[in-house]
């Protein structure tokens, strides 16, 4: 269905009444008519006769309007000043493009295009005047539709800046009148609800803002300043930039605006923000016209050492890219629309001269400004400047030149923006915009009745008489090849996909600013790609290296960012990581905990393996314990050798010689078992150490028990009045066998049900891994060693009873002392063992093993060895058996041998046969 045609009568009448408030006039026989009571002061180029269709154009041929005297109350159409060479080139490009289209036979055959171009002067008011003139015509009396004598207007190219396009498109959109933008990138223009008839041949600021953020991320900047012109282009551009930069957790250090009308306070705010901020990178969204006064402030305050990120509106502007600004803006980087070469344009630009048309005031003004002369007999002012200066005072200066133009001046001698075709970017957009309208009209002209796009009936529209909305249908589905063989496609929002060139300001050998391409940003609706050549960039810093722009220096490894309340996330404190936590990368937000086998190094910048602690053979304590163990075992072995050598002597045979050998063997086992506690523990060593120790003690204690029980039975026999048979040697051996079997059963159950195993103790010390044995079932372990304790108690009780046997050599006393040493050692061991950690805990247990073993060895075998080796005269059956008194002092035992001085005749020492 076709959209309903909107009526613009009330809005147009309101606008005209505001500017021209005279009442309606009546003519003839009283018929009331509406006529224009004044004319807009519009300047430009018009060629509308003898053409089929007209294309409108709006270009900034001048840079500003002249402010009117505030004392004049009647509104008037403002006049313009400040000739803008770049805009004049755009104007000529449109004329050149239309002439080129008219000469082609493959597009709009038999149709010629005219043009109607107006000067917008970079002002919204002049742009609106141009728009109303497009809608109503030049000499019409009825403002509700176009009724000029020329050909119908097909569409409008323009209006240059974003603010101008926003204003004009709101009015043209009421009529659904096609408008093609060539330099307006403001993102709000993509809103088809507000601007239904606006399309453009350059990318939206949505893409440019994303591109700037990606570039900032690429260089690692996090603290960015933002300055924007006080218009739709600047405000919307910075708004999107802030939204995009927040998504990637970067920060805006400050955001200031450049006033459209000079304001010292606002300018000083922007300058103060730049000078006092630590941000060294600043994004600047502004047109070159609005930027000019701000640059004067930058130069006045001598602000250097900043890296400027330029928007496409000024990165290639010759108005800004002047050598005198290089100390301040040198090294600026920015995005520019694609560059192209336009065939024949250079020659067309040179084909301009005031003599060709004496009424062409624009060309005369161009000539006067370019050659700094005054054209003879011309009413065109040479130059004027009514801007407010930096002191806040309004200047009304009219320039004149004493030099008259001769007409012989040569354009080839000029170094002028108008003639510079090396950076045809927006100029190329102008050409594409004109072609966009031409291709849409061509598609409309090729429509076949019955196959058209309009309902009902699939009708067509015709170039002789079509509504604006009918042409908009073709504009929305437009796709064509440009003159440089690139495909231009408009999406549903009237925007295009494409790419930006990344440019860098550098000074060439001639002392002029050169735009060096160092990358490319390609974008579509779904993806983007940023390609940057860092090596080709010039940085305007003291070291000529990549600048840093941070609020706070990046936290070093080993620290993390701590948020400062009320400040942006880019401003933070660097907090050291806790022990056991590290941050590996600079600027980490969190510290990561090391794996359980690792610990943080001194500066918390990395995880290192924890020191593994165990009682090693190589350390001093381990060497000492190994030496003691082996030495003690050798001592026991020496005692065994003594017993073997003197095995036939009475003292060696006393109280079961075989049990003595088994006791010595058990002591060797116990002493060598301590070696299993030294060194790196393993599962097998954890199982072996406790079981071997328990079995060694059970063999040792059961042998002692066999001896003490026989002593006890002998004591009972000597005291009893009835016949009492003492324990025979075979019974002693059975006691040992049964005891060892019971202990073996308990150890087997312990190993089967819940055996000990290797355990990495990380709780005792955070910086170390203590390798120790997890003893498994404590209950089973207690039962294993509990049986040994039970044997020890039996040994002690039986020997304690028999300790006072009247004998020259009472073995019961020696065993009693040995068991006392045994209990004292192990009772002292328990609190010492529980109060120590790590390898010292193992060392305590080894000391207990060695001390108890050596105590038993010394108490039981030292007196016997003393007699056997030192007092052999006492090693006789009579003396050992107690059959003679020990009155000979020369052979008397010392106190350590526990000898009796009593003259007794009853012997309780049992001699083996």
């Amino acid at each position: 269905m076709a959209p309903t045609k909107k009526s613009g009568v009330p809005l147009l009448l309101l606008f005209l009444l505001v500017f021209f408030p005279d009442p309606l006039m009546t003519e003839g026989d009283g018929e009331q008519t509406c006529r224009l009571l004044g004319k807009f002061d519009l300047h430009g180029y018009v060629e509308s006769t003898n053409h089929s269709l007209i294309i409108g154009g709006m270009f900034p041929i001048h840079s500003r309007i002249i402010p009117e005297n505030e004392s004049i109350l009647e509104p008037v159409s403002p006049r313009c000043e400040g000739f803008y060479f770049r805009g004049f080139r755009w104007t000529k490009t449109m004329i050149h493009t239309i002439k080129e289209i008219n000469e082609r036979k493959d597009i709009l055959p038999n149709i010629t295009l005219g043009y109607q171009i107006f000067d917008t002067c970079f002002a919204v008011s002049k742009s609106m005047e141009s728009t109303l003139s497009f809608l109503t015509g030049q000499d019409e009396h009825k403002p509700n539709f176009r009724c000029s004598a020329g050909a119908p207007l097909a569409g409008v190219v323009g209006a240059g800046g974003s603010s101008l396009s926003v204003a004009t498109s709101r009015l043209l959109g009421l009529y659904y009148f096609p408008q093609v933008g060539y330099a307006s990138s403001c993102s709000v223009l993509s809103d088809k609800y507000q601007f239904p008839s606006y399309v453009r041949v350059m990318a939206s600021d949505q893409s440019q803002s994303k591109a700037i953020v990606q570039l900032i991320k690429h260089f690692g900047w996090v603290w960015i300043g933002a300055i924007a012109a006080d218009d739709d282009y600047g405000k919307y551009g910075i708004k999107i930039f802030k939204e995009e930069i927040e998504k990637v957790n970067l920060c805006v250090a400050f955001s200031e605006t450049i006033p459209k009308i000079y304001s010292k306070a606002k300018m000083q705010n922007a300058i103060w923000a730049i000078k006092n901020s630590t941000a060294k990178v600043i994004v600047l969204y502004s047109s070159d016209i609005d930027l000019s006064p701000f640059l004067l402030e930058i130069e006045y305050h001598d602000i250097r050492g900043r890296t400027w990120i330029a928007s496409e509106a000024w990165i290639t502007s010759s108005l800004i890219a002047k050598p005198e600004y290089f100390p301040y803006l040198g090294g600026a980087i920015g995005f520019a629309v694609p560059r192209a070469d336009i065939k024949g344009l250079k020659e067309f630009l040179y084909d301009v001269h005031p003599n060709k048309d004496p009424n062409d005031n624009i060309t005369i003004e161009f000539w006067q400004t370019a050659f700094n002369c005054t054209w003879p007999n011309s009413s065109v002012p040479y130059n004027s400047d009514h801007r407010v200066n930096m002191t806040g005072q309004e200047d009304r200066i009219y320039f004149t030149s004493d030099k008259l133009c001769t007409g012989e001046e040569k354009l080839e001698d000029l170094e002028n923006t108008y003639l510079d075709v090396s950076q045809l970017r927006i100029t190329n957009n102008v050409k594409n915009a004109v072609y966009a309208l031409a291709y849409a009209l061509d598609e409309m002209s090729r429509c076949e009745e019955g196959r058209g796009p309009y309902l009902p009936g699939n009708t067509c529209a015709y170039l002789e008489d079509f509504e604006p909305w009918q042409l908009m249908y073709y504009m929305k589905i437009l796709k064509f090849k440009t003159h440089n063989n690139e495909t231009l496609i408009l999406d549903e929002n009237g925007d295009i996909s494409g790419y930006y060139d990344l440019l860098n300001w550098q000074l060439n050998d001639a002392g002029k600013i050169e735009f060096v391409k160092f990358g490319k940003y390609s974008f579509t609706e779904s993806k983007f790609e940023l390609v940057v050549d860092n090596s080709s960039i010039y940085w305007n810093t003291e070291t000529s290296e990549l600048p840093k722009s941070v609020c706070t220096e990046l936290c070093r490894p080993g620290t993390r960012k701590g948020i400062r309340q009320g400040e942006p996330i880019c401003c933070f404190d660097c907090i050291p990581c806790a022990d056991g936590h590290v941050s590996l990368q600079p600027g980490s937000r969190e510290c990561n905990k090391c794996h359980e086998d690792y610990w943080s190094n001194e500066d918390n910048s990395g995880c290192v393996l924890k020191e593994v602690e165990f009682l090693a053979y190589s350390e001093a304590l381990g060497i000492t314990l190994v030496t003691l163990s082996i030495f003690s075992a050798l001592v026991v072995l020496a005692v065994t050798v003594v017993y073997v050598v003197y095995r036939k002597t009475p003292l060696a045979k006393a109280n079961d010689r075989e049990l003595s050998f088994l006791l010595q063997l058990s002591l060797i086992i116990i002493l060598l078992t301590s070696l299993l506690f030294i060194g790196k523990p393993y599962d097998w060593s954890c199982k072996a150490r406790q079981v071997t120790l328990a079995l060694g003690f059970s063999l040792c204690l059961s042998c002692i028990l066999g001896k003490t029980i026989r002593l006890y039975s002998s004591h009972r026999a000597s005291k009893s009045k009835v016949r009492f048979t003492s324990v025979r040697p075979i019974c002693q051996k059975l006691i040992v066998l049964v005891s060892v079997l019971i202990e073996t059963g308990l150890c087997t159950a312990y190993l089967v049900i819940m055996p000990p195993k290797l355990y990495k103790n990380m709780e005792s010390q955070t910086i170390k891994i203590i390798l120790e044995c997890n003893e498994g079932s404590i209950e089973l372990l207690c039962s294993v060693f509990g049986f040994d304790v039970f044997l020890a108690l039996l040994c002690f009780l039986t020997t304690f009873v028999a300790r006072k046997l009247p004998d020259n050599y009472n073995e019961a006393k020696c065993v009693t002392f040995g068991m006392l040493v045994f209990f004292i050692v192990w009772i002292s061991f328990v609190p010492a063992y529980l109060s120590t950690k790590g390898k010292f805990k193992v060392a305590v247990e080894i000391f207990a093993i060695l001390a108890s073993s050596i105590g038993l060895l010394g108490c039981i075998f030292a007196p016997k060895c003393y007699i056997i080796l030192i007092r052999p005269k006492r090693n006789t059956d009579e003396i050992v058996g107690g059959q003679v008194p020990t009155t000979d002092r020369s052979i008397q035992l010392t106190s350590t041998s526990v000898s009796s001085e009593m003259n007794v005749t009853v012997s309780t020492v049992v001699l083996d046969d």
Side-chain angles (χ1 to χ4, degrees):
M1 295 294 291
T4 305
K5 183 178 179 181
K6 302 179 183 179
S7 174
V9 176
L11 181 61
L12 294 177
L13 285 174
L14 177 62
F15 189 89
L16 292 173
L17 287 173
V18 169
F19 274 89
F20 307 102
D22 289 351
L24 294 175
M25 304 298 295
T26 59
E27 296 181 359
D29 55 355
E31 179 184 356
Q32 191 176 36
T33 61
C34 180
R35 64 182 180 85
L36 293 176
L37 300 180
K39 295 284 270 185
F40 294 137
D41 186 16
L42 294 173
H43 298 275
Y45 291 96
V46 177
E47 186 177 321
S48 58
T49 58
N50 300 321
H51 292 289
S52 306
L53 295 170
I54 302 299
I55 294 180
M58 289 187 281
F59 297 96
I61 301 174
H62 290 85
S63 61
R64 57 188 177 273
I65 59 175
I66 300 174
E68 295 295 333
N69 193 331
E70 295 180 358
S71 61
I72 301 177
L73 298 179
E74 181 180 356
V76 294
S77 179
R79 293 174 294 116
C80 300
E81 66 179 6
F83 196 85
Y84 188 52
F85 292 104
R86 197 180 183 195
F88 188 48
R89 186 179 69 216
W90 298 342
T91 303
K92 288 294 186 178
T93 301
M94 178 174 174
I95 296 173
H96 172 262
T97 304
I98 289 178
K99 290 181 179 294
E100 179 181 284
I101 293 172
N102 289 337
E103 293 173 359
R104 293 179 60 171
K105 302 301 181 184
D106 59 332
I107 179 173
L108 293 175
N110 303 319
I111 299 294
T112 59
L113 299 177
Y115 52 85
Q116 190 172 6
I117 301 173
F118 293 125
D119 181 11
T120 63
C121 306
F122 269 113
V124 172
S125 60
K126 299 300 290 185
S127 300
M128 293 300 291
E129 290 178 4
S130 301
T131 303
L132 286 170
S133 296
F134 287 138
L135 291 174
T136 63
Q138 287 295 301
D139 300 313
E140 66 280 3
H141 295 280
K142 297 182 179 180
N144 62 323
F145 60 90
R146 182 177 176 83
C147 58
S148 65
L153 188 70
V156 175
V157 174
S162 293
S163 295
L164 311 185
S165 292
V166 167
T168 57
S169 185
R170 291 191 186 279
L171 188 54
L172 291 172
L174 295 174
Y175 296 91
Y176 221 62
F177 204 92
Q179 181 180 4
V180 185
Y182 58 88
S184 301
S185 58
C186 183
S187 60
V188 73
L189 290 167
S190 299
D191 185 354
K192 295 301 104 177
Y193 182 79
Q194 297 187 63
F195 310 99
S197 63
Y198 185 85
V199 298
R200 51 187 162 189
V201 293
M202 76 173 299
S204 165
D205 280 337
Q206 188 80 34
S207 301
Q208 183 174 200
S209 296
K210 291 181 178 180
I212 291 175
V213 172
Q214 292 302 319
L215 189 67
I216 289 171
K217 284 182 61 181
H218 172 80
F219 290 119
W221 298 321
V222 296
W223 189 235
I224 313 299
I227 295 179
D230 191 14
D231 57 13
D232 291 325
Y233 173 70
K235 290 178 179 178
Y236 281 103
I238 287 297
K239 175 179 177 293
I240 298 173
F241 167 73
K242 290 180 179 179
E243 293 172 353
E244 293 296 327
I245 207 167
E246 288 177 359
K247 292 179 183 178
V248 293
N249 295 324
L250 302 180
C251 304
V252 176
F254 60 86
S255 181
E256 299 292 337
T257 58
I258 301 174
K260 298 286 284 186
I261 300 175
Y262 185 87
S263 168
K264 185 176 182 180
K266 290 183 178 180
M267 282 289 189
Q268 291 302 317
N269 287 341
I271 295 297
W272 182 90
I274 296 172
K275 294 178 69 174
N276 292 278
S277 176
T278 57
K280 301 301 180 183
V281 178
I282 304 171
V283 175
L284 185 50
Y285 259 98
S286 174
S287 66
D288 53 354
I289 297 296
D290 294 329
L291 190 56
S292 296
F294 182 68
L295 284 184
L296 296 176
E297 294 280 355
I298 294 289
E299 185 180 18
Y300 177 77
H301 290 88
D302 195 28
I303 297 177
R304 305 176 185 231
R306 304 301 192 275
T307 297
W308 300 86
I309 300 180
S311 64
E312 40 73 33
W314 68 270
I315 184 64
T316 58
S317 172
S318 58
L319 185 66
I320 304 299
K322 296 179 180 179
E324 57 264 30
Y325 293 144
F326 191 80
Y328 315 101
L329 298 183
I333 58 177
F335 297 86
V337 297
R339 176 191 170 279
D341 293 321
I342 300 178
K343 184 179 179 180
L345 179 62
K346 182 176 182 180
E347 293 76 12
F348 184 79
L349 294 178
Y350 275 90
D351 187 21
V352 59
H353 198 283
N355 287 333
K356 290 188 175 183
D357 185 0
N359 296 322
D360 186 357
N361 291 337
I362 295 178
T363 301
I364 293 175
E365 187 176 359
F366 160 74
W367 203 268
Q368 292 183 154
T369 308
F371 292 104
N372 192 24
C373 61
T374 302
W375 191 257
N377 303 319
S378 173
S379 60
V380 178
Y382 163 70
N383 202 351
S384 61
D385 191 345
H386 294 77
R387 290 176 293 181
V388 176
N389 62 22
M390 293 176 59
T391 62
Q393 301 297 321
E394 183 179 340
D395 291 333
R396 290 183 178 270
I397 303 173
Y398 294 88
F399 297 94
T400 58
S401 176
D402 295 333
K403 176 184 175 183
L404 292 178
C405 302
T406 64
E408 300 298 327
E409 295 85 0
K410 294 182 179 180
L411 292 175
E412 291 80 0
D413 297 334
L414 289 177
E415 292 183 1
N416 190 282
T417 305
Y418 168 72
L419 299 172
D420 183 8
V421 294
S422 63
Q423 297 289 331
L424 298 181
R425 300 179 185 274
I426 301 299
T427 305
N428 184 54
N429 284 351
V430 172
K431 185 179 183 70
N432 289 338
V434 176
Y435 263 102
L437 283 171
Y439 275 110
L441 290 169
D442 185 64
E443 286 294 320
M444 178 186 289
S445 68
R446 298 178 188 275
C447 178
E448 297 180 8
E449 194 63 38
R451 296 183 180 180
Y454 313 114
L455 298 176
N458 296 110
T459 58
C460 294
Y462 302 98
L463 295 182
E464 296 80 9
D465 184 19
F466 66 90
E467 297 292 337
W469 61 266
Q470 292 175 316
L471 180 59
M472 274 306 300
Y473 170 82
Y474 292 96
M475 296 296 297
K476 288 184 175 181
I477 61 172
L478 190 61
K479 177 180 179 181
F480 66 94
K481 285 280 188 179
T482 64
H483 65 97
N484 54 346
N485 205 33
E486 293 184 357
T487 302
L488 191 147
I489 305 174
L490 296 177
D491 63 18
E492 60 183 5
N493 295 323
D495 295 325
I496 63 168
S497 299
Y499 65 91
Y500 288 109
D501 287 335
L502 275 73
L503 304 182
N504 177 228
W505 277 23
Q506 299 183 17
L507 208 61
N508 60 21
D509 296 336
K512 296 181 180 179
I513 292 179
E514 184 178 357
F515 308 119
V516 177
K517 182 178 178 180
F518 68 94
K520 183 178 180 181
Y521 179 85
S522 304
F523 57 92
T524 63
E525 292 183 5
S526 57
K527 64 179 180 179
F528 63 86
E529 181 183 10
L530 179 67
V531 179
V532 178
D533 178 14
N534 293 350
S535 62
S536 62
I537 304 176
Y538 165 75
W539 300 110
N540 191 21
T541 59
E542 293 181 358
T543 60
S544 297
E545 295 180 352
L546 177 69
K548 294 175 62 177
S549 186
V550 295
C551 177
T552 306
E553 287 293 335
L554 204 62
C555 292
R556 61 172 179 80
T559 61
R560 64 174 179 86
K561 293 181 179 179
I563 298 175
R564 294 179 183 174
Q565 294 295 331
E567 295 189 33
I569 61 173
C570 298
C571 302
F572 46 81
D573 297 314
C574 295
I575 302 173
C577 294
D579 290 338
H581 293 72
V582 298
S583 59
L584 304 179
Q585 301 297 329
S588 298
R589 295 185 178 276
E590 295 180 355
C591 296
N592 299 316
K593 187 176 181 180
C594 292
H595 188 268
E596 61 179 8
D597 290 344
Y598 292 82
W599 193 251
S600 56
N601 55 14
E602 291 184 1
D603 57 359
N604 298 97
S605 61
C607 292
V608 295
L609 278 170
K610 288 183 178 179
E611 179 183 349
V612 179
E613 182 180 280
F614 57 88
L615 186 57
Y617 288 105
S618 58
E619 59 182 299
L621 181 58
I623 294 172
T624 302
L625 294 176
V626 169
T627 303
L628 288 175
S629 300
I630 294 176
F631 177 77
S632 300
L634 291 175
V635 171
V636 177
L637 188 60
V639 172
T640 303
V641 171
V642 170
Y643 262 69
V644 171
V645 173
Y646 296 95
R647 64 185 177 279
K648 296 187 181 295
T649 62
L651 198 58
K653 295 190 295 181
N655 205 2
D656 203 315
R657 180 174 53 196
E658 287 77 9
L659 286 184
S660 295
F661 283 120
L662 284 175
L663 180 57
Q664 293 162 15
L665 176 63
S666 66
L667 288 175
I668 291 175
I669 293 173
I670 292 171
L671 290 169
L672 294 180
T673 300
S674 62
L675 298 178
L676 295 174
F677 288 83
I678 304 173
K680 184 177 181 180
Y682 298 95
D683 285 341
W684 67 267
S685 62
C686 289
K687 295 174 183 177
R689 63 170 62 170
Q690 299 294 1
V691 171
T692 305
L693 182 62
L695 290 173
F697 271 123
S698 67
L699 178 60
C700 174
L701 294 172
S702 62
C703 291
I704 296 174
L705 181 61
K707 285 176 171 290
T708 57
I709 286 179
R710 190 171 183 186
L711 291 174
Y712 177 73
S713 65
S714 298
H715 171 69
R716 290 290 303 271
S718 65
K719 293 292 185 180
S720 178
K721 295 180 180 181
V722 298
R723 185 177 178 83
F724 189 87
T725 304
S726 64
V727 177
R728 300 182 66 81
I730 188 66
C731 295
Q732 291 177 286
K733 296 175 177 60
L734 286 174
I735 290 173
V736 173
L737 179 62
V738 171
S739 299
V740 172
L741 288 176
I742 293 173
E743 185 67 29
T744 302
L746 291 172
C747 289
T748 302
Y750 177 42
L751 293 176
V752 171
I753 296 175
M754 192 176 292
K757 58 184 178 180
L758 176 64
Y759 171 63
K760 295 180 179 180
N761 185 353
M762 302 179 187
E763 291 79 20
S764 299
Q765 297 187 41
T766 55
I767 63 174
K768 293 182 179 180
I769 299 176
I770 301 175
L771 292 182
E772 57 187 20
C773 291
N774 182 352
E775 305 302 345
S777 174
I778 301 299
E779 294 80 5
L780 290 174
L781 181 65
C782 290
S783 65
V784 168
F785 284 99
F787 183 71
D788 290 337
V789 173
F790 173 70
L791 292 177
L793 286 173
L794 288 179
C795 293
F796 179 73
L797 291 175
T798 54
T799 56
F800 184 77
V801 173
R803 73 188 185 283
K804 294 183 179 181
L805 286 176
D807 194 359
N808 292 333
Y809 180 76
N810 189 353
E811 190 178 29
K813 288 183 179 181
C814 297
V815 175
T816 301
F817 279 114
M819 296 311 299
L820 283 174
V821 171
F822 182 86
F823 279 113
I824 290 171
V825 168
W826 285 102
I827 289 172
S828 303
F829 158 76
V830 173
Y833 182 81
L834 296 176
S835 62
T836 55
K837 299 181 184 297
K839 60 184 179 182
F840 298 104
K841 194 172 187 178
V842 178
V844 169
E845 188 170 0
I846 295 174
F847 274 121
I849 294 171
L850 296 177
S852 59
S853 302
I854 294 171
L856 290 174
L857 177 66
C859 291
I860 295 176
F861 292 104
K864 291 185 178 182
C865 290
Y866 177 81
I867 293 173
I868 292 172
L869 298 175
I870 306 302
R871 296 288 186 264
K873 294 181 179 181
R874 294 188 58 83
N875 191 8
T876 62
D877 292 337
E878 294 80 7
I879 295 177
V880 172
Q883 297 176 7
V884 295
T886 57
T887 56
D888 186 0
R889 295 301 176 187
S890 64
I891 60 173
Q892 186 176 358
L893 295 175
T894 64
S895 59
T896 58
S897 64
V898 202
S899 62
S900 175
E901 299 275 338
M902 299 173 61
N903 294 324
V904 293
T905 58
V906 179
S907 175
T908 58
V909 177
V910 181
L911 297 177
D912 297 331
D913 296 334

